[in-house]
Amino acid sequence: MNELHERVRRHLETAAVVYTAHDHAALPAPVSSPADFAAMLGYPVDRIMKTLICRVRSTRELVAVTCPVDIRVDFKRVASELDCGRIEVASTEQLETATGYPRLGVSPLGLDDSITVAIARQSFTYDTVLVGGGATRVEVELAPHDLQRITGAVPVDLG
């Protein structure tokens, strides 16, 4: 069984938010894509979020961009919304060093306070969204307003 990363679990419990952990291994069929995962839960695919760890070129500060998996991130637009200059996806090494999470298990939860979290405004159209659990093949379902509150996320318009 896959479990939430300890920092993610601690963050959720400390914040006392209602959440559900979803282990892909516990589902009735193999999950090979976000669309498979969404279908097994009976959710639209844009309710499943990805979190990209990005680096601000000028300052080397990190930004975690959380948005629906089916959206192509417009980095210029995100940088403009955050007023931070040009951003680019961090390398796998930078991601793992900064977060301790694997590339396919990145979570906006449990991050160092120096990492700015941005969340797509369209996420707020759902009662709950699913984000990475800090480990591969495990997701956390929680209200987007709770996610914003406990991470200090800045809502950004991605289209």
Side-chain angles (χ1 to χ4, degrees):
M1 287 296 228
N2 301 307
E3 294 187 11
L4 295 175
H5 190 284
E6 184 56 35
R7 277 199 334 268
V8 170
R9 182 181 309 286
R10 234 184 354 259
H11 192 170
L12 291 163
E13 290 173 358
T14 300
V17 297
V18 174
Y19 72 93
T20 302
H22 294 275
D23 178 358
H24 293 204
L27 295 172
V31 175
S32 61
S33 71
D36 288 348
F37 182 55
M40 282 190 221
L41 296 175
Y43 294 166
V45 73
D46 62 346
R47 197 164 161 182
I48 312 297
M49 303 286 132
K50 64 184 172 188
T51 299
L52 302 174
I53 301 296
C54 301
R55 180 176 68 88
V56 178
R57 278 190 147 185
S58 60
T59 64
R60 302 228 183 277
E61 292 175 1
L62 296 177
V63 175
V65 179
T66 300
C67 62
V69 294
D70 60 346
I71 285 184
R72 184 172 182 167
V73 176
D74 180 340
F75 295 107
K76 284 184 180 182
R77 189 171 192 166
V78 172
S80 175
E81 290 252 355
L82 297 176
D83 194 28
C84 67
R86 189 171 175 181
I87 64 172
E88 60 193 9
V89 175
S91 70
T92 301
E93 182 179 310
Q94 290 168 326
L95 175 153
E96 290 175 353
T97 299
T99 68
Y101 301 147
R103 184 177 67 82
L104 295 176
V106 178
S107 180
L109 300 161
L111 296 175
D112 184 273
D113 289 340
S114 67
I115 299 174
T116 299
V117 178
I119 185 171
R121 279 195 180 91
Q122 50 267 65
S123 305
F124 295 96
T125 62
Y126 294 108
D127 292 336
T128 61
V129 294
L130 292 103
V131 298
T136 57
R137 305 184 56 74
V138 62
E139 317 292 329
V140 176
E141 182 172 1
L142 74 166
H145 293 287
D146 285 339
L147 178 61
Q148 178 188 17
R149 180 179 54 80
I150 69 175
T151 62
V154 178
V156 294
D157 185 11
L158 297 179

mmCIF file of all heavy atoms in Angstrom, residues 12-36:
data_model
loop_
_atom_site.group_PDB
_atom_site.id
_atom_site.type_symbol
_atom_site.label_atom_id
_atom_site.label_comp_id
_atom_site.label_asym_id
_atom_site.label_seq_id
_atom_site.Cartn_x
_atom_site.Cartn_y
_atom_site.Cartn_z
ATOM 1 N N LEU A 12 -1.546 18.189 7.014
ATOM 2 C CA LEU A 12 -3.004 18.038 7.028
ATOM 3 C C LEU A 12 -3.545 17.904 8.449
ATOM 4 O O LEU A 12 -4.557 18.516 8.801
ATOM 5 C CB LEU A 12 -3.409 16.829 6.196
ATOM 6 C CG LEU A 12 -3.201 16.972 4.692
ATOM 7 C CD1 LEU A 12 -3.226 15.609 4.016
ATOM 8 C CD2 LEU A 12 -4.250 17.899 4.097
ATOM 9 N N GLU A 13 -2.889 17.097 9.263
ATOM 10 C CA GLU A 13 -3.365 16.877 10.630
ATOM 11 C C GLU A 13 -3.194 18.118 11.490
ATOM 12 O O GLU A 13 -4.082 18.450 12.279
ATOM 13 C CB GLU A 13 -2.664 15.664 11.230
ATOM 14 C CG GLU A 13 -3.138 14.376 10.573
ATOM 15 C CD GLU A 13 -2.364 13.133 10.995
ATOM 16 O OE1 GLU A 13 -1.395 13.238 11.786
ATOM 17 O OE2 GLU A 13 -2.734 12.041 10.521
ATOM 18 N N THR A 14 -2.089 18.816 11.336
ATOM 19 C CA THR A 14 -1.863 20.045 12.093
ATOM 20 C C THR A 14 -2.907 21.103 11.738
ATOM 21 O O THR A 14 -3.394 21.823 12.602
ATOM 22 C CB THR A 14 -0.444 20.601 11.830
ATOM 23 O OG1 THR A 14 0.505 19.608 12.228
ATOM 24 C CG2 THR A 14 -0.190 21.882 12.590
ATOM 25 N N ALA A 15 -3.257 21.171 10.453
ATOM 26 C CA ALA A 15 -4.238 22.153 9.990
ATOM 27 C C ALA A 15 -5.674 21.730 10.292
ATOM 28 O O ALA A 15 -6.597 22.529 10.150
ATOM 29 C CB ALA A 15 -4.074 22.387 8.490
ATOM 30 N N ALA A 16 -5.851 20.479 10.692
ATOM 31 C CA ALA A 16 -7.169 19.934 11.033
ATOM 32 C C ALA A 16 -8.191 20.118 9.914
ATOM 33 O O ALA A 16 -9.321 20.543 10.150
ATOM 34 C CB ALA A 16 -7.675 20.553 12.343
ATOM 35 N N VAL A 17 -7.783 19.775 8.689
ATOM 36 C CA VAL A 17 -8.728 19.836 7.571
ATOM 37 C C VAL A 17 -9.255 18.435 7.267
ATOM 38 O O VAL A 17 -8.605 17.437 7.538
ATOM 39 C CB VAL A 17 -8.089 20.434 6.288
ATOM 40 C CG1 VAL A 17 -7.661 21.863 6.502
ATOM 41 C CG2 VAL A 17 -6.947 19.600 5.785
ATOM 42 N N VAL A 18 -10.433 18.405 6.695
ATOM 43 C CA VAL A 18 -11.028 17.146 6.272
ATOM 44 C C VAL A 18 -10.381 16.766 4.941
ATOM 45 O O VAL A 18 -10.320 17.579 4.015
ATOM 46 C CB VAL A 18 -12.555 17.295 6.110
ATOM 47 C CG1 VAL A 18 -13.166 16.027 5.534
ATOM 48 C CG2 VAL A 18 -13.187 17.660 7.437
ATOM 49 N N TYR A 19 -9.900 15.536 4.849
ATOM 50 C CA TYR A 19 -9.293 15.066 3.607
ATOM 51 C C TYR A 19 -9.491 13.562 3.485
ATOM 52 O O TYR A 19 -9.800 12.884 4.455
ATOM 53 C CB TYR A 19 -7.791 15.406 3.555
ATOM 54 C CG TYR A 19 -6.939 14.581 4.497
ATOM 55 C CD1 TYR A 19 -6.332 13.411 4.052
ATOM 56 C CD2 TYR A 19 -6.752 14.949 5.827
ATOM 57 C CE1 TYR A 19 -5.550 12.636 4.905
ATOM 58 C CE2 TYR A 19 -5.981 14.186 6.682
ATOM 59 C CZ TYR A 19 -5.381 13.034 6.218
ATOM 60 O OH TYR A 19 -4.621 12.271 7.065
ATOM 61 N N THR A 20 -9.298 13.077 2.270
ATOM 62 C CA THR A 20 -9.312 11.647 2.004
ATOM 63 C C THR A 20 -8.058 11.316 1.220
ATOM 64 O O THR A 20 -7.737 12.006 0.250
ATOM 65 C CB THR A 20 -10.551 11.251 1.159
ATOM 66 O OG1 THR A 20 -11.734 11.642 1.855
ATOM 67 C CG2 THR A 20 -10.586 9.760 0.891
ATOM 68 N N ALA A 21 -7.346 10.283 1.641
ATOM 69 C CA ALA A 21 -6.186 9.801 0.890
ATOM 70 C C ALA A 21 -6.663 8.709 -0.062
ATOM 71 O O ALA A 21 -7.460 7.849 0.324
ATOM 72 C CB ALA A 21 -5.128 9.267 1.841
ATOM 73 N N HIS A 22 -6.203 8.766 -1.301
ATOM 74 C CA HIS A 22 -6.562 7.767 -2.308
ATOM 75 C C HIS A 22 -5.295 7.057 -2.764
ATOM 76 O O HIS A 22 -4.420 7.676 -3.375
ATOM 77 C CB HIS A 22 -7.229 8.424 -3.529
ATOM 78 C CG HIS A 22 -8.554 9.035 -3.250
ATOM 79 N ND1 HIS A 22 -9.724 8.297 -3.278
ATOM 80 C CD2 HIS A 22 -8.905 10.300 -2.939
ATOM 81 C CE1 HIS A 22 -10.742 9.102 -3.005
ATOM 82 N NE2 HIS A 22 -10.273 10.313 -2.796
ATOM 83 N N ASP A 23 -5.202 5.780 -2.476
ATOM 84 C CA ASP A 23 -4.088 4.945 -2.901
ATOM 85 C C ASP A 23 -4.487 4.261 -4.198
ATOM 86 O O ASP A 23 -5.487 3.536 -4.244
ATOM 87 C CB ASP A 23 -3.789 3.912 -1.811
ATOM 88 C CG ASP A 23 -2.673 2.963 -2.161
ATOM 89 O OD1 ASP A 23 -2.114 3.049 -3.280
ATOM 90 O OD2 ASP A 23 -2.352 2.106 -1.322
ATOM 91 N N HIS A 24 -3.727 4.481 -5.249
ATOM 92 C CA HIS A 24 -4.055 3.873 -6.546
ATOM 93 C C HIS A 24 -4.134 2.352 -6.449
ATOM 94 O O HIS A 24 -4.939 1.725 -7.141
ATOM 95 C CB HIS A 24 -3.009 4.254 -7.595
ATOM 96 C CG HIS A 24 -3.009 5.706 -7.944
ATOM 97 N ND1 HIS A 24 -2.530 6.172 -9.137
ATOM 98 C CD2 HIS A 24 -3.409 6.813 -7.263
ATOM 99 C CE1 HIS A 24 -2.637 7.492 -9.182
ATOM 100 N NE2 HIS A 24 -3.160 7.895 -8.049
ATOM 101 N N ALA A 25 -3.305 1.752 -5.594
ATOM 102 C CA ALA A 25 -3.290 0.289 -5.453
ATOM 103 C C ALA A 25 -4.603 -0.250 -4.888
ATOM 104 O O ALA A 25 -4.924 -1.421 -5.081
ATOM 105 C CB ALA A 25 -2.122 -0.144 -4.570
ATOM 106 N N ALA A 26 -5.366 0.587 -4.199
ATOM 107 C CA ALA A 26 -6.622 0.146 -3.592
ATOM 108 C C ALA A 26 -7.804 0.242 -4.563
ATOM 109 O O ALA A 26 -8.911 -0.187 -4.228
ATOM 110 C CB ALA A 26 -6.918 0.969 -2.349
ATOM 111 N N LEU A 27 -7.564 0.759 -5.745
ATOM 112 C CA LEU A 27 -8.643 0.909 -6.731
ATOM 113 C C LEU A 27 -8.875 -0.422 -7.460
ATOM 114 O O LEU A 27 -7.986 -1.266 -7.524
ATOM 115 C CB LEU A 27 -8.294 2.031 -7.709
ATOM 116 C CG LEU A 27 -8.224 3.419 -7.054
ATOM 117 C CD1 LEU A 27 -7.674 4.453 -8.037
ATOM 118 C CD2 LEU A 27 -9.585 3.853 -6.534
ATOM 119 N N PRO A 28 -10.069 -0.605 -8.025
ATOM 120 C CA PRO A 28 -10.428 -1.895 -8.613
ATOM 121 C C PRO A 28 -9.688 -2.264 -9.902
ATOM 122 O O PRO A 28 -9.734 -3.417 -10.327
ATOM 123 C CB PRO A 28 -11.935 -1.770 -8.881
ATOM 124 C CG PRO A 28 -12.200 -0.311 -8.932
ATOM 125 C CD PRO A 28 -11.195 0.334 -8.029
ATOM 126 N N ALA A 29 -9.020 -1.317 -10.532
ATOM 127 C CA ALA A 29 -8.291 -1.593 -11.774
ATOM 128 C C ALA A 29 -7.004 -0.767 -11.775
ATOM 129 O O ALA A 29 -6.900 0.227 -11.050
ATOM 130 C CB ALA A 29 -9.155 -1.234 -12.979
ATOM 131 N N PRO A 30 -6.047 -1.162 -12.576
ATOM 132 C CA PRO A 30 -4.794 -0.397 -12.640
ATOM 133 C C PRO A 30 -5.027 1.028 -13.141
ATOM 134 O O PRO A 30 -5.879 1.266 -13.995
ATOM 135 C CB PRO A 30 -3.942 -1.171 -13.645
ATOM 136 C CG PRO A 30 -4.548 -2.524 -13.734
ATOM 137 C CD PRO A 30 -6.004 -2.349 -13.422
ATOM 138 N N VAL A 31 -4.250 1.963 -12.607
ATOM 139 C CA VAL A 31 -4.321 3.361 -13.014
ATOM 140 C C VAL A 31 -3.073 3.652 -13.838
ATOM 141 O O VAL A 31 -1.961 3.547 -13.340
ATOM 142 C CB VAL A 31 -4.369 4.299 -11.784
ATOM 143 C CG1 VAL A 31 -4.307 5.752 -12.219
ATOM 144 C CG2 VAL A 31 -5.605 4.031 -10.959
ATOM 145 N N SER A 32 -3.279 4.011 -15.099
ATOM 146 C CA SER A 32 -2.131 4.319 -15.949
ATOM 147 C C SER A 32 -2.086 5.772 -16.375
ATOM 148 O O SER A 32 -1.149 6.199 -17.033
ATOM 149 C CB SER A 32 -2.112 3.410 -17.178
ATOM 150 O OG SER A 32 -3.279 3.597 -17.941
ATOM 151 N N SER A 33 -3.111 6.540 -15.990
ATOM 152 C CA SER A 33 -3.142 7.959 -16.355
ATOM 153 C C SER A 33 -4.084 8.705 -15.413
ATOM 154 O O SER A 33 -4.918 8.088 -14.748
ATOM 155 C CB SER A 33 -3.643 8.120 -17.794
ATOM 156 O OG SER A 33 -5.022 7.815 -17.868
ATOM 157 N N PRO A 34 -3.973 10.031 -15.386
ATOM 158 C CA PRO A 34 -4.929 10.808 -14.589
ATOM 159 C C PRO A 34 -6.377 10.585 -15.052
ATOM 160 O O PRO A 34 -7.288 10.569 -14.233
ATOM 161 C CB PRO A 34 -4.497 12.253 -14.822
ATOM 162 C CG PRO A 34 -3.040 12.163 -15.122
ATOM 163 C CD PRO A 34 -2.901 10.887 -15.923
ATOM 164 N N ALA A 35 -6.571 10.368 -16.338
ATOM 165 C CA ALA A 35 -7.926 10.118 -16.849
ATOM 166 C C ALA A 35 -8.486 8.813 -16.277
ATOM 167 O O ALA A 35 -9.666 8.744 -15.911
ATOM 168 C CB ALA A 35 -7.923 10.078 -18.377
ATOM 169 N N ASP A 36 -7.634 7.779 -16.178
ATOM 170 C CA ASP A 36 -8.060 6.517 -15.564
ATOM 171 C C ASP A 36 -8.462 6.745 -14.110
ATOM 172 O O ASP A 36 -9.481 6.241 -13.645
ATOM 173 C CB ASP A 36 -6.929 5.481 -15.561
ATOM 174 C CG ASP A 36 -6.610 4.915 -16.918
ATOM 175 O OD1 ASP A 36 -7.391 5.137 -17.861
ATOM 176 O OD2 ASP A 36 -5.557 4.250 -17.031
#
